[in-house]
Each structure stands twice: as structure tokens, then as C-alpha cells.
Amino acid sequence: MRVNTRSGRTGCRIVDLPRIADPRGNLTFVEGSDHIPFDIARVYYLYDVPGGTSRGGHAHHHLQALIIAAAGSFDVGVDDGVHQERFFLNRSYHGLYVPRMTWRELDNFSSGGVCLVLASAPYEEDDYIRDHATFVAAAGAERAQADAA
Ligand code: TYD
């Protein structure tokens, strides 16, 4: 199912980015801590993604991200350990804000699809949670701790 939910129960939400329309071509920009709630420490992008393959499949202890379909389209499935949502990204002026401790999977890339990611921290493998069961357990433990506080 392809649902473009603008703001959901997982804490992920679509951010409307500025769009400077111009007959010469449109322009969108992102300023850290203004359009998104973090300073941008790193930019990376996925491209030449073969049809039928998926990317992501992990969460982060600390990292926050904004995911943009800079070209083409793809789906992003997100999971906070309890709730799941699916976002369809197909506009260069929409970003999907993904908070820390959110499992994400990207799939259904269109031909020529480019996924631009603005990240809150440099690459650090120790920040990744790459096993889903481990992620669900860690998210549950955080929830229990917050409920007890
Ligand atoms: P990974 O984050 O698992 O890719 P995705 O979530 O998009 O499927 O990264 C794949 C590989 O690339 C992994 O070996 C780590 C490396 N990598 C870096 O070296 N620097 C980076 O900034 C990123 C995002 C990945």
C-alpha cells in the first residue's frame, strides 16, 4: 500500500521544503536547524538502485535524517518498534524526517531514482542497529524507562 502520510505515529513526518519556482528550473534548499531539527553533518545519496532491491534495513541509536527523493520516487517503510508507516516520496521539495531510533527500509525505486539523505552525524558504524529484533527490544526498553520516569 502506498500512503503519503504527512505526519504519523512513528514520529516521522513530511517536511515541506522551500521551492523557488523558475522557468529555468526549480530550486529547493535546506538549512539545518531551520527546516529540520538538526545541524547537517553529512550528506549521502543512493543512485543506480536496481529495480526490486531495497536499501536501509537498520535504525540508529542517535542519528536523525531527512530523506529526499531528489529524482524519481521510492517508498520508505518506517517502524518505531510499535507503529509502522509507509511513505511514498516523489517530490524533490518534500523531505521525510526520520528521528533517532527508527527502523527504515527503502524500496520500490523508480528507474533513475536518487535518494538524498541529510544526516545529523558523520558515519559511525557503532550508531547502527542492524538487527530488527535487537531494535524492537532496545526501543521497548527505552519506552519502559520513559514510562517509569
Ligand atoms: P548503509 O548505511 O548500510 O546503506 P543503506 O542504509 O543505504 O542501505 O551503508 C552501506 C555501506 O556504505 C556500509 O558498508 C557503510 C558504508 N557507508 C559509509 O562508509 N559512509 C556513509 O556515510 C554511509 C551512509 C555508508
Side-chain angles (χ1 to χ4, degrees), residues 11-87:
C12 296
R13 60 188 161 83
I14 296 288
V15 178
D16 281 315
L17 298 167
R19 188 179 175 208
I20 313 293
D22 190 310
R24 299 170 301 162
N26 299 333
L27 182 152
T28 284
F29 57 95
V30 187
E31 294 184 357
S33 295
D34 181 0
H35 305 115
I36 48 176
F38 59 85
D39 286 327
I40 300 162
R42 178 169 50 117
V43 176
Y44 67 92
Y45 37 98
L46 302 166
Y47 52 97
D48 294 344
V49 179
T53 61
S54 67
R55 299 292 315 221
H58 54 72
H60 290 272
H61 290 288
H62 301 292
L63 184 122
Q64 307 167 67
L66 189 78
I67 299 178
I68 299 168
S73 66
F74 50 85
D75 291 338
V76 188
V78 293
D79 173 0
D80 68 358
V82 176
H83 310 106
Q84 291 83 35
E85 295 182 279
R86 204 161 169 80
F87 294 84

Side-chain angles (χ1 to χ4, degrees), residues 77-127:
V78 293
D79 173 0
D80 68 358
V82 176
H83 310 106
Q84 291 83 35
E85 295 182 279
R86 204 161 169 80
F87 294 84
F88 173 55
L89 297 183
N90 68 341
R91 296 282 180 258
S92 307
Y93 52 88
H94 283 165
L96 176 65
Y97 171 67
V98 181
R100 63 176 288 274
M101 286 300 281
T102 307
W103 189 268
R104 86 289 313 272
E105 305 221 4
L106 289 71
D107 55 23
N108 287 324
F109 275 79
S110 67
S111 169
V114 177
C115 170
L116 178 66
V117 182
L118 312 182
S120 64
Y123 174 76
E124 197 186 332
E125 185 59 33
D126 286 351
D127 190 53

